[in-house]
Amino acid sequence: MSDRQQTLAKVLEMIAPFNKKGVDVGEATRFAQDLEWDSLTVLDFVANIEDEFDVIISMNMQAEIETVGQLVDALGKLKA
């Protein structure tokens, strides 16, 4: 399994507790539109991601990340 696949698997695992609507989550899933997360949920999730992957996701980067796939790609760049 590639690093990207491992990261995706972990991100999907971490989304599960926040997926209150039971949405089928994939790389194209959008946080705001598909999962219907509010800003507080996003902050909680980002904090968990930062702790798990030992990275800092800037506010500018957060603003650009709309989908699960974009988050996985961003984490790949931050960990490199």
Side-chain angles (χ1 to χ4, degrees):
M1 188 183 288
S2 73
D3 281 353
R4 190 178 191 288
Q5 288 172 313
Q6 289 177 334
T7 300
L8 175 60
K10 187 62 186 176
V11 167
L12 293 176
E13 181 184 315
M14 294 177 72
I15 287 172
F18 294 93
N19 188 0
K20 304 295 185 211
K21 303 223 180 269
V23 173
D24 187 21
V25 180
E27 287 202 46
T29 302
R30 298 168 300 176
F31 296 105
Q33 294 88 344
D34 300 328
L35 294 171
E36 298 180 20
W37 287 1
D38 60 20
S39 57
L40 188 58
T41 303
V42 170
L43 286 175
D44 285 347
F45 179 70
V46 168
N48 289 349
I49 289 288
E50 289 178 333
D51 289 346
E52 178 67 31
F53 291 96
D54 195 26
V55 295
I56 300 293
I57 301 174
S58 70
M59 293 303 276
N60 288 344
M61 187 177 281
Q62 285 180 41
E64 294 173 6
I65 297 172
E66 294 181 9
T67 68
V68 172
Q70 288 173 333
L71 174 60
V72 171
D73 290 338
L75 288 169
K77 289 177 188 164
L78 289 169
K79 293 192 310 180

